[in-house]
Amino acid sequence: MKAQRPVVIWLTGLSGAGKSTIATALERYLCSQGQHTYLLDGDNVRLGLCEDLGFSDADREENIRRVAEVARLFVDAGLIVITAFISPFARDRALARAVVGPEQFIEVFVDTPLAECERRDPKGLYSRARRGLVTQFTGIDSPYEAPLCADIRVQTLGSAVQDIVRQISEYLNRRNRG
Ligand code: ADP
Protein backbone atom coordinates (compact mmCIF):
# COMPACT_ATOMS: atom_id res chain seq x y z
CA MET A 1 0.00 0.00 0.00
CA LYS A 2 2.76 2.44 0.85
CA ALA A 3 4.90 1.60 -2.18
CA GLN A 4 8.10 2.33 -0.31
CA ARG A 5 10.91 0.47 1.36
CA PRO A 6 10.82 1.12 5.12
CA VAL A 7 14.12 2.11 6.62
CA VAL A 8 15.69 4.01 9.50
CA ILE A 9 17.87 6.97 8.57
CA TRP A 10 19.93 7.42 11.71
CA LEU A 11 21.58 10.85 11.93
CA THR A 12 24.45 11.11 14.40
CA GLY A 13 26.70 14.07 15.17
CA LEU A 14 27.56 16.72 17.72
CA SER A 15 25.01 19.12 19.12
CA GLY A 16 24.62 21.89 16.55
CA ALA A 17 26.02 19.71 13.77
CA GLY A 18 22.78 20.09 11.81
CA LYS A 19 20.92 16.83 12.51
CA SER A 20 17.51 18.39 13.21
CA THR A 21 17.82 20.86 10.35
CA ILE A 22 18.71 18.10 7.89
CA ALA A 23 16.10 15.72 9.32
CA THR A 24 13.33 18.29 8.91
CA ALA A 25 14.37 19.19 5.36
CA LEU A 26 14.74 15.52 4.43
CA GLU A 27 11.32 14.70 5.85
CA ARG A 28 9.76 17.59 3.93
CA TYR A 29 11.42 16.38 0.72
CA LEU A 30 10.39 12.74 1.16
CA CYS A 31 6.81 13.79 1.96
CA SER A 32 6.75 15.88 -1.22
CA GLN A 33 7.65 12.65 -3.05
CA GLY A 34 4.63 10.92 -1.52
CA GLN A 35 6.67 8.94 1.02
CA HIS A 36 5.38 8.20 4.51
CA THR A 37 7.85 9.26 7.18
CA TYR A 38 8.22 9.78 10.90
CA LEU A 39 10.80 11.93 12.64
CA LEU A 40 12.11 10.93 16.06
CA ASP A 41 14.16 13.55 17.86
CA GLY A 42 14.97 14.79 21.32
CA ASP A 43 11.92 17.00 21.38
CA ASN A 44 9.35 14.25 20.95
CA VAL A 45 11.22 11.49 22.76
CA ARG A 46 13.07 13.11 25.67
CA LEU A 47 9.87 14.85 26.83
CA GLY A 48 7.76 11.70 26.89
CA LEU A 49 9.05 8.18 26.41
CA CYS A 50 12.45 9.05 27.91
CA GLU A 51 11.51 11.78 30.37
CA ASP A 52 12.95 9.72 33.21
CA LEU A 53 16.43 9.69 31.65
CA GLY A 54 19.33 12.10 32.07
CA PHE A 55 22.67 12.35 30.33
CA SER A 56 24.85 9.87 32.20
CA ASP A 57 26.46 7.23 29.98
CA ALA A 58 23.93 4.64 31.20
CA ASP A 59 20.97 6.94 30.55
CA ARG A 60 22.25 7.86 27.08
CA GLU A 61 22.54 4.16 26.32
CA GLU A 62 18.98 3.50 27.49
CA ASN A 63 17.70 6.53 25.55
CA ILE A 64 19.20 5.17 22.32
CA ARG A 65 17.93 1.66 23.03
CA ARG A 66 14.36 2.95 23.40
CA VAL A 67 14.64 5.09 20.28
CA ALA A 68 15.89 2.06 18.35
CA GLU A 69 13.01 -0.08 19.58
CA VAL A 70 10.46 2.57 18.61
CA ALA A 71 12.14 3.02 15.22
CA ARG A 72 11.93 -0.75 14.70
CA LEU A 73 8.17 -0.66 15.34
CA PHE A 74 7.66 2.22 12.91
CA VAL A 75 9.68 0.35 10.28
CA ASP A 76 7.44 -2.63 10.93
CA ALA A 77 4.51 -0.29 10.20
CA GLY A 78 6.08 0.55 6.83
CA LEU A 79 7.45 4.03 7.55
CA ILE A 80 10.67 5.75 6.64
CA VAL A 81 11.97 6.80 10.05
CA ILE A 82 14.43 9.64 10.47
CA THR A 83 16.16 9.94 13.84
CA ALA A 84 18.14 12.92 15.05
CA PHE A 85 20.12 12.12 18.19
CA ILE A 86 23.72 12.86 19.06
CA SER A 87 24.13 9.13 19.83
CA PRO A 88 27.77 9.68 20.78
CA PHE A 89 28.80 6.09 21.49
CA ALA A 90 29.69 3.66 18.71
CA ARG A 91 28.50 0.78 20.86
CA ASP A 92 25.00 2.26 21.17
CA ARG A 93 24.76 2.96 17.44
CA ALA A 94 25.79 -0.64 16.78
CA LEU A 95 23.06 -1.76 19.17
CA ALA A 96 20.53 0.41 17.33
CA ARG A 97 21.59 -1.16 14.04
CA ALA A 98 21.16 -4.64 15.52
CA VAL A 99 17.74 -3.80 17.03
CA VAL A 100 16.38 -2.31 13.81
CA GLY A 101 18.08 -4.90 11.60
CA PRO A 102 21.17 -4.08 9.55
CA GLU A 103 19.28 -4.27 6.25
CA GLN A 104 17.00 -1.45 7.31
CA PHE A 105 19.47 0.83 9.04
CA ILE A 106 21.35 3.68 7.39
CA GLU A 107 23.82 5.53 9.57
CA VAL A 108 24.43 9.11 8.50
CA PHE A 109 27.36 10.91 10.09
CA VAL A 110 26.62 14.63 10.18
CA ASP A 111 30.25 15.63 10.26
CA THR A 112 30.65 19.20 11.49
CA PRO A 113 33.79 20.23 13.38
CA LEU A 114 33.33 20.98 17.06
CA ALA A 115 34.59 24.55 16.56
CA GLU A 116 31.85 25.20 13.99
CA CYS A 117 29.15 23.64 16.20
CA GLU A 118 30.32 25.84 19.04
CA ARG A 119 30.31 28.90 16.80
CA ARG A 120 26.71 28.15 15.73
CA ASP A 121 25.60 27.22 19.23
CA PRO A 122 21.91 27.32 18.18
CA LYS A 123 20.60 26.59 21.67
CA GLY A 124 23.33 28.34 23.67
CA LEU A 125 24.31 25.00 25.18
CA TYR A 126 28.04 25.19 24.39
CA SER A 127 28.24 28.54 26.08
CA ARG A 128 26.49 27.12 29.13
CA ALA A 129 28.71 24.02 29.09
CA ARG A 130 31.88 26.16 28.90
CA ARG A 131 30.67 28.06 31.95
CA GLY A 132 30.04 24.79 33.78
CA LEU A 133 26.26 25.34 33.85
CA VAL A 134 25.66 22.18 31.80
CA THR A 135 27.77 19.13 32.52
CA GLN A 136 28.36 15.88 30.65
CA PHE A 137 27.98 17.82 27.42
CA THR A 138 29.11 15.95 24.32
CA GLY A 139 32.27 17.47 22.86
CA ILE A 140 33.08 19.41 26.02
CA ASP A 141 33.21 17.04 28.97
CA SER A 142 31.66 13.94 27.42
CA PRO A 143 33.12 12.16 24.38
CA TYR A 144 31.76 11.85 20.86
CA GLU A 145 32.94 8.72 19.08
CA ALA A 146 32.85 9.63 15.40
CA PRO A 147 31.61 6.80 13.16
CA LEU A 148 34.43 5.06 11.31
CA CYS A 149 32.27 3.49 8.63
CA ALA A 150 28.96 5.33 8.43
CA ASP A 151 26.81 4.50 5.41
CA ILE A 152 26.77 8.19 4.49
CA ARG A 153 28.95 11.05 5.68
CA VAL A 154 27.71 14.57 5.12
CA GLN A 155 29.64 17.76 5.73
CA THR A 156 27.57 20.78 6.60
CA LEU A 157 30.44 23.24 6.41
CA GLY A 158 30.30 24.56 2.89
CA SER A 159 27.20 22.60 1.81
CA ALA A 160 23.64 23.86 1.69
CA VAL A 161 21.02 21.83 3.50
CA GLN A 162 19.31 21.04 0.18
CA ASP A 163 22.56 19.58 -1.21
CA ILE A 164 22.75 17.27 1.80
CA VAL A 165 19.12 16.24 1.38
CA ARG A 166 19.93 15.41 -2.25
CA GLN A 167 23.00 13.38 -1.19
CA ILE A 168 20.89 11.28 1.17
CA SER A 169 17.96 10.85 -1.22
CA GLU A 170 20.30 9.77 -4.03
CA TYR A 171 21.74 7.15 -1.70
CA LEU A 172 18.19 5.93 -0.94
CA ASN A 173 17.35 5.77 -4.65
CA ARG A 174 20.52 3.77 -5.44
CA ARG A 175 19.73 1.43 -2.59
CA ASN A 176 16.15 0.92 -3.72
CA ARG A 177 17.34 0.08 -7.21
CA GLY A 178 20.10 -2.24 -5.96
P1 ADP B 1 21.58 19.44 15.88
O1 ADP B 1 20.19 18.91 15.65
O2 ADP B 1 22.64 18.58 15.26
O3 ADP B 1 21.86 19.78 17.31
P2 ADP B 1 20.55 21.81 14.64
O4 ADP B 1 19.98 21.34 13.32
O5 ADP B 1 19.60 22.06 15.76
O6 ADP B 1 21.71 20.80 15.07
O7 ADP B 1 21.37 23.14 14.42
C1 ADP B 1 22.31 23.30 13.38
C2 ADP B 1 22.50 24.78 13.05
O8 ADP B 1 23.45 24.87 11.97
C3 ADP B 1 21.21 25.43 12.57
O9 ADP B 1 21.17 26.72 13.10
C4 ADP B 1 21.40 25.47 11.04
O10 ADP B 1 20.70 26.54 10.45
C5 ADP B 1 22.90 25.64 10.92
N1 ADP B 1 23.48 25.18 9.64
C6 ADP B 1 24.30 25.88 8.85
N2 ADP B 1 24.63 25.21 7.72
C7 ADP B 1 24.00 24.02 7.81
C8 ADP B 1 23.95 22.88 6.94
N3 ADP B 1 24.60 22.84 5.78
N4 ADP B 1 23.21 21.82 7.34
C9 ADP B 1 22.54 21.85 8.52
N5 ADP B 1 22.55 22.91 9.37
C10 ADP B 1 23.26 23.99 9.03
Side-chain angles (χ1 to χ4, degrees):
M1 285 168 68
K2 289 198 160 38
Q4 65 183 29
R5 192 167 158 191
V7 72
V8 175
I9 302 166
W10 187 281
L11 305 177
T12 171
L14 291 166
S15 177
K19 301 179 296 299
S20 301
T21 305
I22 293 166
T24 306
L26 178 63
E27 181 170 48
R28 198 168 295 141
Y29 171 76
L30 291 173
C31 287
S32 78
Q33 301 299 302
Q35 311 258 274
H36 298 216
T37 63
Y38 195 83
L39 173 57
L40 288 169
D41 63 18
D43 289 343
N44 61 16
V45 169
R46 279 263 180 204
L47 296 178
L49 178 67
C50 298
E51 67 176 353
D52 55 323
L53 300 176
F55 291 89
S56 67
D57 288 4
D59 279 6
R60 283 175 192 266
E61 180 180 344
E62 176 60 10
N63 185 51
I64 295 307
R65 191 192 69 79
R66 290 184 199 175
V67 169
E69 290 287 354
V70 172
R72 183 178 69 83
L73 296 176
F74 282 141
V75 162
D76 199 32
L79 298 178
I80 295 170
V81 184
I82 305 166
T83 69
F85 296 89
I86 299 174
S87 42
F89 301 124
R91 187 189 60 233
D92 297 345
R93 296 191 300 265
L95 174 76
R97 187 186 289 270
V99 166
V100 170
E103 295 297 306
Q104 291 150 322
F105 189 89
I106 299 170
E107 185 173 312
V108 181
F109 177 23
V110 182
D111 189 3
T112 307
L114 175 63
E116 171 65 10
C117 295
E118 195 163 354
R119 193 191 62 75
R120 293 177 185 170
D121 206 5
K123 297 178 192 147
L125 291 171
Y126 284 98
S127 154
R128 289 171 57 82
R130 288 288 184 201
R131 284 182 283 146
L133 300 175
V134 178
T135 56
Q136 298 179 304
F137 193 70
T138 302
I140 306 296
D141 56 354
S142 184
Y144 178 75
E145 298 171 2
L148 299 176
C149 49
D151 300 290
I152 311 175
R153 171 170 167 260
V154 301
Q155 290 178 286
T156 66
L157 248 188
S159 317
V161 179
Q162 286 313 321
D163 293 335
I164 294 169
V165 167
R166 194 172 312 119
Q167 186 184 344
I168 298 172
S169 66
E170 282 172 1
Y171 179 92
L172 291 175
N173 290 338
R174 277 199 304 278
R175 196 170 168 277
N176 287 339
R177 284 195 299 269

